[in-house]
């Protein structure tokens, strides 16, 4: 954060003195006005519900330029990372700031691989959940429960302990997600297999069974890896901000990641690919698209075109372009290019991209418009989609948590409010109310 010569002056039309505020420059992106002393000096807060114009922290991890449709992890464009690296390399990059060399990659991979099992006692938690629980409900509980097992690494002020916690989260999330699925469908848990890659091991834990050999399809494992890379981090989105806010009180990393998972579950965030797929199933056939679009445009209907629109990307979501390519690759591999749902998605995408309503509001497909179709082709049921997103995003969450926790300027998050309720009044005795 570099202070600049630029200062912002805030003046009022009620005769109170104006105030000069420092302005900081990031390495790229908009300048920020430092309002930290505003209340102390002026007795006024700023008002910004939804943080439309507020930088809640400084960060060196992910940069998004929504107008350009640009996403960088540690300075590298997502297009290059998604086509040249695998998910463990991306995890290393997000956590440590640089891509690993071959030796560093091998060491990191070994470390993650040797932390993939969960404590046997953790398995018993699953039995408490009804089999038809939403998988995100199970995952939120079981990830939060990890804090009960790792007292040895809960000192958040020790960088070494923070690093071990990060490795545990990256390593154990796939195991817990797969266990959630196996429990849901009533099949035995499969232990991790150390000879497989991160994504292939996840597919093994999801789909293998103890009775026969499971053969990994490399095209599908690579598609899953790409989904993980594209969802690994996304700057200060709702769930990441939730993780940071939870962590700002000094809460342990497992509890913070569980809070991120809970936030991610919402349909406007991580639930979007499940919702997009459901939307396609509800539309059912291309001839019903015009009627559906009419409902979307009707402000009283509450119907949204799921998988379209983004708070930050106002021209194109760069992840969507990469996911669209993966979508074609996977459907080709599986001989599903004539899949009716995919054809319907393509028809809907075309109609929306040519419609003035969506053009004028800068609404374009986001990554989740396509990721649902890919996940469905991988035989992952739609109720599990947000769990896969959580597994990917957990690396971003833990990197952001670590960055925040190691920042000496870090303070507990405590937003203020514009109070619009009752002014002070007296309680009347019950008979007089
Ligand atoms: N379908 C129809 N209209 C929409 C949509 C949509 N998907 N998204 C926004 N609009 C309209 C909205 O009604 C508003 O219209 P008007 O100006 O007439 O009032 C205008 O576009 C601006 O929308 P907004 O709600 O101010 O935009 P926002 O930045 O607050 O919302 C969003 C962003 C992602 C919540 C929203 O676009 C949305 O709900 N999209 C569908 C859900 C979705 O696909 N979410 C996944 C996001 S990508 C995954 C992730 O990063 O978490």
């Amino acid at each position: 954060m570099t202070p600049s010569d630029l200062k912002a002056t805030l003046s009022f039309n009620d005769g109170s003195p104006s105030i000069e505020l420092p302005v900081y420059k990031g390495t790229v992106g908009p300048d920020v006005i430092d309002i930290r002393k505003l209340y102390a000096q002026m007795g006024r807060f700023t008002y910004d519900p939804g943080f439309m114009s507020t930088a809640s922290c400084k960060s060196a991890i992910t940069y998004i330029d929504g107008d350009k449709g640009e996403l960088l992890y540690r300075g590298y464009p997502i297009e290059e990372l998604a086509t040249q690296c695998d998910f463990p390399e991306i995890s290393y990059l997000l956590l440590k700031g640089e891509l690993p060399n071959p030796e560093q990659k091998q060491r990191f991979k070994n470390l993650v691989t040797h932390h993939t099992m969960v404590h046997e006692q953790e398995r018993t938690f699953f039995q408490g959940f009804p089999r038809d629980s939403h998988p995100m409900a199970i995952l939120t509980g079981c990830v939060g429960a990890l804090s009960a097992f790792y007292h040895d690494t809960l000192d958040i002020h020790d960088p070494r302990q923070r690093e071990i916690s990060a490795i545990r989260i990256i390593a154990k999330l796939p195991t817990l997600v797969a266990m959630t699925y196996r429990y849901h469908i009533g099949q035995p848990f499969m232990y991790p297999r150390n000879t497989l890659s991160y994504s292939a091991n996840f597919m093994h834990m999801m789909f293998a069974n103890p009775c026969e050999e499971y053969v990994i399809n490399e095209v599908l494992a690579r598609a899953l890896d790409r989904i993980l890379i594209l969802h690994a981090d996304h700057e200060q989105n709702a769930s990441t901000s939730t993780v940071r806010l939870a962590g700002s009180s000094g809460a342990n990393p497992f509890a913070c990641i569980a809070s991120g998972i809970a936030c991610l579950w919402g349909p406007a965030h991580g639930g979007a690919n499940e919702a997009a797929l459901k939307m396609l199933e509800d539309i059912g056939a291309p001839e019903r698209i015009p009627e559906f679009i009419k409902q979307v445009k009707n402000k009283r209907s509450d119907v949204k075109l799921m998988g379209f629109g983004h708070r930050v990307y106002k021209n194109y979501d760069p992840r969507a372009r990469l996911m669209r390519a993966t979508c074609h690759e996977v459907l080709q591999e599986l001989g599903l290019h004539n899949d009716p749902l995919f054809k319907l998605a393509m028809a809907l995408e075309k109609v929306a991209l040519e419609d003035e309503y969506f053009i004028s509001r800068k609404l374009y497909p986001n990554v989740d418009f396509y990721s649902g179709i890919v996940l469905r082709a991988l035989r992952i049921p739609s109720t599990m989609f947000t769990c896969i997103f959580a597994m990917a995003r957990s690396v971003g969450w833990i990197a952001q948590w670590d960055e925040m926790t190691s920042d000496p300027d870090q303070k507990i998050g405590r937003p203020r409010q514009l109070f619009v309720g009752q002014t002070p009044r007296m309680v009347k005795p019950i008979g007089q109310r």
Side-chain angles (χ1 to χ4, degrees):
M1 193 161 74
T2 327
S4 73
D5 295 336
L6 196 65
K7 300 264 183 267
T9 306
L10 184 62
S11 56
F12 305 88
N13 64 1
D14 63 355
S16 34
S18 59
I19 175 173
E20 205 167 75
L21 300 163
V23 177
Y24 300 120
K25 286 202 170 303
T27 44
V28 270
D31 298 343
V32 299
I33 303 167
D34 181 348
I35 56 162
R36 280 177 293 181
K37 299 216 169 106
L38 184 65
Y39 178 61
Q41 292 183 10
M42 299 303 300
R44 287 179 162 115
F45 298 137
T46 54
Y47 181 60
D48 187 17
F51 303 112
M52 309 290 286
S53 300
T54 297
S56 62
C57 62
K58 58 176 191 288
S59 179
I61 300 177
T62 293
Y63 176 74
I64 301 174
D65 184 327
D67 294 325
K68 278 209 265 176
E70 181 178 66
L71 168 61
L72 310 174
Y73 292 163
R74 300 283 191 183
Y76 294 108
I78 191 66
E79 291 81 358
E80 292 193 14
L81 294 172
T83 48
Q84 295 181 45
C85 303
D86 62 16
F87 184 68
E89 285 173 87
I90 300 298
S91 305
Y92 186 99
L93 172 69
L94 289 171
L95 277 177
K96 295 180 182 278
E98 295 297 335
L99 283 166
N101 62 29
E103 194 191 310
Q104 289 164 328
K105 180 176 175 181
Q106 192 53 40
R107 218 177 315 125
F108 183 73
K109 190 176 173 297
N110 274 345
L111 206 55
V112 170
T113 303
H114 291 97
H115 282 86
T116 47
M117 283 203 296
V118 293
H119 196 290
E120 281 296 298
Q121 206 71 25
E122 173 100 19
R123 298 163 71 95
T124 59
F125 286 128
F126 284 85
Q127 320 305 325
F129 288 96
R131 294 262 178 197
D132 62 354
S133 308
H134 193 288
M136 283 294 278
I138 302 181
L139 192 67
T140 312
C142 289
V143 171
L146 288 176
S147 31
F149 296 96
Y150 302 113
H151 303 287
D152 58 331
T153 56
L154 295 188
D155 177 0
I156 62 165
H157 303 296
D158 176 351
R160 177 75 191 126
Q161 294 195 29
R162 286 205 303 275
E163 189 181 358
I164 298 171
S165 293
I167 296 291
R168 283 183 168 143
I169 283 162
I170 296 168
K172 291 181 202 306
L173 253 289
T175 312
L176 289 173
V177 169
M179 286 170 84
T180 299
Y181 174 59
R182 305 293 291 202
Y183 181 74
H184 191 51
I185 59 169
Q187 287 199 8
F189 297 140
M190 294 298 292
Y191 283 108
R193 184 156 288 186
N194 289 357
T195 49
L196 296 174
S197 72
Y198 188 89
S199 297
N201 174 50
F202 176 67
M203 294 185 76
H204 162 81
M205 291 189 291
M206 286 284 284
F207 301 121
N209 70 57
C211 318
E212 59 191 16
E213 199 54 34
Y214 176 74
V215 181
I216 299 290
N217 177 324
E218 287 305 332
V219 175
L220 304 189
R222 178 72 203 152
L224 178 73
D225 206 67
R226 178 165 288 188
I227 290 181
L228 300 182
I229 292 172
L230 298 184
H231 288 85
D233 195 44
H234 215 222
E235 211 226 57
Q236 307 310 320
N237 56 83
S239 56
T240 303
S241 300
T242 302
V243 170
R244 278 187 178 258
L245 193 56
S248 76
S249 72
N252 74 69
F254 304 104
C256 296
I257 301 300
S259 72
I261 295 175
C263 174
L264 187 74
W265 193 358
H269 192 6
N273 52 11
E274 183 180 346
L277 199 66
K278 178 161 187 323
M279 171 192 75
L280 291 172
E281 282 162 0
D282 289 347
I283 298 172
E287 51 279 15
R288 295 188 55 202
I289 292 177
E291 176 53 29
F292 173 73
I293 294 284
K294 217 162 117 193
Q295 284 176 30
V296 170
K297 292 180 186 173
N298 178 355
K299 288 282 166 202
R300 273 167 300 163
S301 77
D302 263 359
V303 177
K304 275 194 169 175
L305 179 47
M306 298 311 286
F308 262 64
H310 199 275
R311 168 59 58 82
V312 182
Y313 296 120
K314 297 301 177 193
N315 277 320
Y316 201 78
D317 176 346
R319 303 167 303 170
R321 193 175 290 125
L322 292 155
M323 202 70 251
R324 193 177 196 272
T326 298
C327 191
H328 282 282
E329 216 174 285
V330 165
L331 295 173
Q332 195 68 34
E333 168 73 13
L334 296 173
L336 290 174
H337 37 281
N338 283 325
D339 177 57
L341 209 73
F342 179 60
K343 286 191 146 177
L344 176 64
M346 294 301 103
L348 180 61
E349 180 198 44
K350 187 167 184 305
V351 170
L353 288 177
E354 289 168 0
D355 190 307
E356 190 45 35
Y357 177 94
F358 298 97
I359 296 171
S360 64
R361 287 170 178 76
K362 297 181 181 269
L363 300 172
Y364 299 90
N366 59 52
V367 63
D368 288 331
F369 189 72
Y370 308 103
S371 64
I373 302 170
V374 176
L375 288 170
R376 177 174 171 270
L378 299 185
R379 290 200 301 118
I380 295 174
S382 59
T383 49
M384 287 297 297
F385 287 0
T386 320
C387 292
I388 308 289
F389 191 163
M391 174 176 140
R393 186 57 58 85
S394 58
V395 60
W397 289 330
I398 199 65
Q400 299 264 354
W401 171 86
D402 184 60
E403 182 183 65
M404 180 193 71
T405 310
S406 52
D407 181 352
D409 291 342
Q410 188 267 326
K411 285 195 164 29
I412 186 167
R414 177 57 169 93
R416 306 305 293 253
Q417 63 174 10
L418 172 65
F419 182 68
V420 294
Q422 293 282 355
T423 51
R425 51 184 174 159
M426 307 301 286
V427 176
K428 290 184 183 150
I430 190 155
Q432 294 172 27
R433 286 178 219 156

